[in-house]
Amino acid sequence: MSNILHSQDRADVLAHVSGNLRRLRLASGLSQTALADASGISRRMIAAVESGDANISLSSLDKLATAMGVDFVELVRDPSRETRAEINEVTWRGSQPASAAMLLCSAPASRETQMWLWTLGPGDSYVAEPDPEGWHEMLFVVEGALRLIQSGEAQDYATGEFVTYSTAQHYSYCNVGKKIVRFVRNVVS
């Protein structure tokens, strides 16, 4: 879980993250300083996210959620929705207008399972930070050709192809073609 959530598009996930973070932090009985100590994320960043004035990585949001004893989905979903069966929240935008990641839903696993719908415009990419041991992804290419780079090794996947791998390594998704790439991403822990 990496890359940056950009606050300039408030209709996207940051519209929920700021309120969810504050609500969940207070429900956990944590001050901003205590949450900073528990998560390794600076108090200044926490204050900026709560006020909606910050860009934050997906992995940093995951660290905040873990420190509060909740999961990533609780931070990003619309709090008015009662179920995780339909989240439908954009959580990442790339440099190309067609590039986006939408968290579709979440289901329980040993810890958590998430389903995402990703779109990458031509020339765009997503560079991830390694996750802790035990996290995996399953990708299914719906349209176009996706290049997956794992620990420096590139592999291309065409429409209809899929791959499963551990995310406890450096990895990235790339669209090196001239057409949009769409793929389903399942995250499992």
Side-chain angles (χ1 to χ4, degrees), residues 43-164:
R43 190 205 62 77
R44 176 181 248 169
M45 174 60 80
I46 292 168
V49 171
E50 285 187 2
S51 67
D53 295 326
N55 295 330
I56 186 168
S57 71
L58 300 177
S59 61
S60 292
L61 281 178
D62 195 46
K63 289 175 186 176
L64 290 169
T66 299
M68 292 184 294
V70 299
D71 59 41
F72 174 82
V73 172
E74 289 303 309
L75 275 177
V76 300
R77 72 185 186 103
D78 181 342
S80 68
R81 293 188 183 206
E82 296 181 18
T83 177
R84 293 168 167 240
E86 188 177 333
I87 297 170
N88 291 324
E89 293 290 342
V90 173
T91 61
W92 175 82
R93 290 209 179 272
S95 59
Q96 297 295 316
S99 300
M102 180 177 286
L103 177 58
L104 299 174
C105 58
S106 178
S110 63
R111 183 169 155 197
E112 182 175 4
T113 302
Q114 302 167 0
M115 179 185 286
W116 300 70
L117 178 60
W118 278 73
T119 307
L120 287 178
D124 214 348
S125 63
Y126 170 87
V127 179
E129 298 171 13
D131 290 318
E133 281 297 327
W135 285 82
H136 293 81
E137 289 188 358
M138 299 178 289
L139 305 180
F140 178 80
V141 181
V142 177
E143 177 183 345
L146 175 69
R147 176 165 292 167
L148 174 64
I149 302 173
Q150 299 177 71
S151 299
E153 297 289 323
Q155 176 71 43
D156 292 336
Y157 296 91
T159 300
E161 293 184 325
F162 63 91
V163 61
T164 299

Side-chain angles (χ1 to χ4, degrees), residues 31-49:
S31 66
Q32 289 179 343
T33 301
L35 180 57
D37 292 343
S39 67
I41 307 299
S42 74
R43 190 205 62 77
R44 176 181 248 169
M45 174 60 80
I46 292 168
V49 171

